Every structure is written in structure tokens, then in C-alpha cells.
Amino acid sequence: MIIERIETFPLLHECSRPYGDANGYKKYRSCYLIRITTKSGYQGYGECIDWLPTLEKGFQERIIPYLIGKRATDRTNLTKIIKKWHMRSAAAVSMALTEIIAQKAGLHITDLWGGKIHDTVPAYASFQSYSDDPNWQEYSIGLVKKAIQEGFSMAKVKIGGRTIKEDQAHIKRMQQELQGDVQLALDANQSYDVMAARSWERLFQGWDNLLWLEEPMPMEKVEEYKLLRQVLSVPLAGGENMKNATAFLPLVTQGAVDILQPDTMHQDGIDGYRCTLQLARTSGLRVSPHAFDGGLSRIYALYAQACLPAMSKMDGDKIEPVEWDYMENPFTMLFQLKPQKGMYTIPSGTGLGLSVDEDVLNTYRWDGRTYI
Ligand code: MG
């Protein structure tokens, strides 16, 4: 089980029309896939998202030379060392080495993690609501309608990127047209203060279909989250950029949020990610993974969710939903696993149980150009 070869697949796609959230527009979507092969022929894939020139340089000049000749079974230690150099790259290596171990054992990844408890996991369709279109609200509502027609019953849309008045007009209109058909999460991407977040409460009281309010304020403002949670009638969610379970602790111990939202690509490898899930459950909190970028990292979030016991007896065997990137992004289909009528079905097989789409790898290969 000695690591013999590591290939990298930097992928880039220019969006046909920019779309965005409170942080600005996305003109490109990228993906960085790695494939690790051992001397005995076992293979595993890993994924991370960052600026491609940074990732390529880091892997070619430092990470690959370091990993060649190391034991694939030493995942914990290898991830720990690479994490000091680049956190997201370490997450990719962690995924690939996990798959290799499952392949060698002849087991599915969920078997390594104690076995899947759920054969299906609900998906919510996630949108970037802003665009340059003068009728951006209409366009945004049209996209959500399309997802509902495809069978999604949960959606997440953006607020915080326009004035409160404009954002509220958008959401009010969406609610007037779709409230009976969809449960809605609102994501402000940390752009509010307490006062701005509270200004939504009057509207919230008239709506019974809200899943959660996501990251209204910067996540380090734990005291303010705690205050806000006491006056809001909808659950508070957040934590997509947090690096490990320790980073979530202040939110958990101070009762500042209702739902944790770790991302497999931003945490201490896939094992660290699962540690955060355990923290949520042992603290009596819900956990709904953030999984907007990438295709493979979402599958790891999905498998971890399938192995997580339901939150409470009230929920029966129901599990919290996993995000599905509904926007134009060819890398959601890098591995062929798409929700059907708003539900993911966990595939069987060994390792990941899925193979990479070589067409996507070839079509979107980054040509080395600089992009912003
Ligand atoms: Mg978010």
C-alpha cells in the first residue's frame, strides 16, 4: 500500500452568465481533482477548490514529492502534515486515501464508517440568486420554480447582496408564488448585523415554510448569534468555513445556532469532518452539510450523512438534507450522482461505488491561463 503515483486534474469552466451571492459574482467554476495510485494498483480520488495556479504549484512542487513512497494507510498523519501547508489540499488527500482503504478492504466507504443507516438522503436545491439581469428577481424565482418542477421540495436562496428592501421584495414575491410548494432557507453570507437580521423577523412570523436563516452575521460574533437566536422564530444555521470541530465549539457551547453546516473541503480532512458531525449529535444539534462546490466532496458529505443516526425519535429515520448546487456547474456531475425528485440514493459497490466521468475531465481541462 505504498503511494506510487499522483495525477492532478485542474478543471475550469467559464459560466455562460455570471451569478452570485452577497460576496459578488462568479464568472468561473473550477475543480481540482487528484488521483492517487498505490504500487499494488489501488486508486482513490480527492477534490479541492481554490485558485488553480495555487493548487497546481502546491501539489507539483511540494505535496506530490512528499507523498510518493509513503504508506497509503497512514492517512491521519499524512493529512496532519499536509494541513500545515494547505488545508484544502489535505482534505483532497484525505478523501483519496479513504477510498484506497475501502477498495483494498473490498468495502463501500460507508461500511468503513459503521455502515449506512439511510439508503436515501434528502437534497435541497441551492441557488445563487443575483445576476446582472435587470429582472434578476423574476429570473431567480423562475429557477426555483424549475427545481420544484423537477421534484425538489427544499431550496436555498440568497439575501444580503442588495438593499434589505430589495431583498425582501424578492423573497416576498417568491413566497407569494411558491410558498405552498417549497420549504425555503435564506442565506445572507455573513453580510448583516443584528439589527438588519432582526428586520426580517416581522416577515418570518407570517411564513411557515422556512427551513433556516443561514449566516446572517460574521460567524465569530457568537454573542450576537446567541442574542439573535432568542428573538428569531426560524432556526439559525452556519459554519461552512470552519476548519474543525474545535472552531464550532463556541457556537455549540453557547447555544448560538440550531444547525451546524460543516463543509468536507474546509475541514480537517474527511475524518475531521466526521468529528464535527459527532460533535453536533452529541450536543443535540442538527447538521446539514454545506456542499456547494465540487462533486466528489459532496458525495463524501452525503455518505457521512447516510451513516449519521437521525437527530431524535421525533424525526423517525429522517436525516437532515445535503446541499445540491443547482447553478451552472459541470463539476456537479464529475461523478454521476444526482438527486432524483429531491432525494439522493446512496449507490452500492466498493470504495466510492462510482466512477469518474472521463468526458468531464477531458472537456474542462484547465489550459494554464490566468483567470479572475
Ligand atoms: Mg452559506
Side-chain angles (χ1 to χ4, degrees), residues 80-328:
K80 190 174 152 196
I81 289 165
I82 296 167
K83 191 178 80 178
K84 290 180 192 161
W85 305 338
H86 192 257
M87 189 94 183
R88 294 183 178 189
S89 301
V93 170
S94 164
M95 289 175 206
L97 297 182
T98 300
E99 187 183 358
I100 286 172
I101 300 307
Q103 293 283 1
K104 165 74 176 169
L107 297 171
H108 193 268
I109 285 168
T110 54
D111 295 326
L112 294 186
W113 293 346
K116 67 178 174 190
I117 298 171
H118 315 279
D119 291 319
T120 57
V121 173
Y124 70 86
S126 190
F127 299 88
Q128 300 265 304
S129 307
Y130 301 118
S131 63
D132 277 337
D133 193 322
N135 298 316
W136 69 270
Q137 299 186 5
E138 200 176 317
Y139 183 71
S140 155
I141 294 166
L143 275 183
V144 178
K145 269 187 194 162
K146 189 164 167 274
I148 293 170
Q149 281 159 11
E150 289 169 19
F152 283 98
S153 59
M154 291 181 272
K156 181 165 89 185
V157 293
K158 298 295 185 180
I159 59 174
R162 298 283 195 271
T163 63
I164 291 178
K165 196 176 166 193
E166 196 175 355
D167 277 338
Q168 291 190 341
H170 172 222
I171 303 301
K172 271 198 254 183
R173 193 170 151 195
M174 188 175 295
Q175 289 284 49
Q176 278 160 9
E177 294 189 35
L178 306 174
Q179 193 178 358
D181 301 326
V182 72
Q183 289 184 286
L184 213 53
L186 305 181
D187 184 1
N189 290 89
Q190 309 193 33
S191 54
Y192 289 156
D193 56 17
V194 177
M195 194 172 72
R198 282 188 66 178
S199 71
W200 283 84
E201 175 54 26
R202 207 156 21 93
L203 289 175
F204 290 168
Q205 284 181 11
W207 296 335
D208 61 0
N209 65 329
L210 291 182
L211 290 164
W212 65 74
L213 174 63
E214 182 169 321
E215 301 199 334
M217 304 172 298
M219 290 310 293
E220 64 272 17
K221 294 190 179 288
V222 178
E223 282 296 327
E224 295 185 10
Y225 268 89
K226 202 172 150 185
L227 279 172
L228 188 62
R229 191 179 176 217
Q230 287 162 13
V231 297
L232 275 196
S233 55
V234 301
L236 272 176
E240 65 193 57
N241 293 308
M242 291 193 167
K243 293 187 168 137
N244 48 40
T246 313
F248 274 101
L249 268 181
L251 292 169
V252 171
T253 54
Q254 295 195 48
V257 292
D258 299 275
I259 302 165
L260 305 190
Q261 296 182 299
D263 187 312
T264 54
M265 281 196 291
H266 300 165
Q267 294 252 303
D268 273 353
I270 191 63
D271 301 293
Y273 172 82
R274 294 187 62 240
C275 186
T276 299
L277 299 192
Q278 291 309 318
L279 171 70
R281 277 299 184 267
T282 51
S283 311
L285 289 172
R286 295 178 191 274
V287 57
S288 185
H290 179 264
F292 189 70
D293 276 318
L296 180 60
S297 50
R298 178 180 299 107
I299 291 166
Y300 273 90
L302 186 59
Y303 288 0
Q305 202 77 351
C307 296
L308 195 66
M311 168 69 193
S312 78
K313 287 179 187 168
M314 288 185 310
D315 288 350
D317 59 356
K318 273 209 239 156
I319 191 76
E320 298 93 319
V322 173
E323 186 167 22
W324 172 255
D325 174 358
Y326 197 85
M327 304 307 290
E328 177 188 340

